[in-house]
Amino acid sequence: MTNRKIAYQGEPGANSDIACRAVYPDFEPLPRATFEDALTAVSDGSADYAMIPIENSLAGRVADIHALLPTAGLYIVGEYFLPVHFQLLGIKGAKIDGLKSVYSHVHALGQCRKIIRKLNLVAHISGDTAGSAKEIAEWGDSTKAALAPALAAEIYGLDLLAADVEDEKHNTTRFVILARAPHWPERGTVATVTTFVFRVRNVPAALYKALGGFATNGVNMTKLESYMVDGEFTATQFLADVDGHPDDPALARAFEELAFFCKEFKILGVYAPHPFRTESVTAIAK
C-alpha cells in the first residue's frame, strides 16, 4: 500500500469506505467524523482526494453536500456510482425475531423502510452506517440491530441476520471525487461532464433566460438542483451537471449566455463520466 490517502466521512466499513477501496485500491482510506473534516483533510494535505456521496437513487440528495461543495475550495475530478446493499446486523447469537430497534444513517433508514415495518422495529439515526454497526458491537444488546454494508459485519464481528434488505435493488449512490486542483481532461480525448454552480439575478424570468442558452445550443443538462444561501429565500443557488467540455463551442456559448443573467458562476469540475451513466441510458432505452 502506498502512503497516498483518500478521505471519507464515516467509520471503516461504510459505503464511502467501500467506494474508496473500489476506485483507489492502492490508497489508504482515511475515515473522518464529518463531511467538513473529510474535505479539510484534502485542503490541508492530509489526504490526496476525498470520496463524497452527493445523491442516492432512492433517498435523493445528501444533505449539506451541495452547500459545502462551492465553498470548500476543492474541485471534482471524477465520479463513482456504487450499487448499495444493506445488511441487517446483530451481535453474535442475536435472533431476528428478538429485535426491537435498528440503528443507521438517516439515508439508510429511508432506503430500508420495508424491513423496518415488517419487523416492527423502532428506527434510530446514527452518524453513519458503519458507525451504527460499531455501536451495536460495543453495546452487546441482542435486541438492537444495525443496517450497514457487509464489510462492517466483517470488521466489527457481527452476525448477518438478513441480507440485502434495501427496498429496491436499483439502489445506487453517486459519489464525487475531490482534489485540491482541477484535473480537466483535454477536450476531445474522452466524454466529459461539467459540474458548476450559479446564482441568477433577482429579476423576473432570470432562471428561464439563463437556461435558454443550453437549449438553443443543444447542451444536455443532466442535473439541476436549487438550495437557499445563508437562509435567504431570495438568494437561491443552483448546482448543475451538463454533458460536454467548457471548451466545446456549444457549451462555451451556453456559458456565455448564462453569464448575462448570473451574479455568481463557478465551474466545480470537468471529468470523465462513470460507465454507470451509459449503462443506465442503455437500460432505459431497452
Side-chain angles (χ1 to χ4, degrees):
M1 179 175 291
T2 70
N3 59 359
R4 303 195 71 183
K5 298 178 180 180
I6 179 166
Y8 67 92
Q9 184 275 328
E11 296 284 350
N15 282 309
S16 295
D17 183 12
I18 294 171
C20 290
R21 295 172 188 236
V23 181
Y24 295 99
D26 295 331
F27 280 45
E28 178 185 346
L30 187 65
R32 286 292 183 261
T34 67
F35 289 124
E36 293 95 329
D37 292 340
L39 297 175
T40 299
V42 180
S43 299
D44 66 18
S46 300
D48 300 277
Y49 299 117
M51 181 73 71
I52 302 295
I54 190 170
E55 58 193 331
N56 175 267
S57 59
L58 293 181
R61 74 184 186 188
V62 178
D64 300 333
I65 297 304
H66 295 68
L68 292 173
L69 286 180
T71 60
L74 303 177
Y75 298 89
I76 300 173
V77 297
E79 66 177 359
Y80 181 67
F81 288 80
L82 175 71
V84 175
H85 302 290
F86 289 110
Q87 321 305 318
L88 186 66
L89 308 178
I91 65 170
K92 294 293 184 182
K95 304 297 181 184
I96 196 168
D97 56 4
L99 298 177
K100 295 181 179 179
S101 55
V102 63
Y103 295 74
S104 198
H105 186 272
V106 61
H107 270 220
L109 296 173
Q111 294 164 35
C112 301
R113 291 189 177 95
K114 292 179 182 178
I115 187 72
I116 294 173
R117 287 198 302 268
K118 178 181 178 181
L119 299 179
N120 195 29
L121 302 177
V122 177
H124 300 273
I125 297 174
S126 297
D128 69 278
T129 55
S132 68
K134 183 180 180 181
E135 290 174 334
I136 294 301
E138 292 172 346
W139 292 335
D141 187 338
S142 62
T143 67
K144 297 179 178 179
L147 288 166
L151 179 60
E154 179 182 332
I155 291 174
Y156 302 110
L158 298 175
D159 279 352
L160 193 155
L161 305 180
D164 297 345
V165 296
E166 62 277 3
D167 291 346
E168 303 291 344
K169 298 311 174 186
H170 62 70
N171 190 17
T172 304
T173 295
R174 179 192 176 207
F175 291 82
V176 290
I177 303 160
L178 295 137
R180 287 185 293 278
H183 299 166
W184 289 18
E186 184 178 347
R187 175 178 172 261
T189 56
V190 295
T192 50
V193 174
T194 297
T195 296
F196 60 98
V197 291
F198 66 97
R199 288 175 62 182
V200 295
R201 302 181 188 282
N202 191 21
V203 296
L207 179 60
Y208 173 80
K209 294 175 181 177
L211 297 180
F214 297 95
T216 56
N217 286 286
V219 176
N220 185 34
M221 180 171 288
T222 58
K223 178 184 180 67
L224 178 66
E225 291 211 25
S226 64
Y227 52 100
M228 289 189 298
V229 178
D230 298 327
E232 298 180 17
F233 286 93
T234 57
T236 301
Q237 187 158 270
F238 296 88
L239 173 72
D241 290 342
V242 293
D243 291 341
H245 193 287
D247 293 335
D248 292 340
L251 185 51
R253 289 193 297 267
F255 279 157
E256 184 178 1
E257 192 165 335
L258 176 69
F260 283 117
F261 304 98
C262 285
K263 57 182 182 178
E264 289 183 25
F265 169 74
K266 181 181 180 181
I267 294 177
L268 295 181
V270 181
Y271 49 94
H274 187 267
F276 181 87
R277 288 179 180 266
T278 303
E279 294 167 2
S280 297
V281 171
T282 302
I284 291 172
K286 292 179 179 179

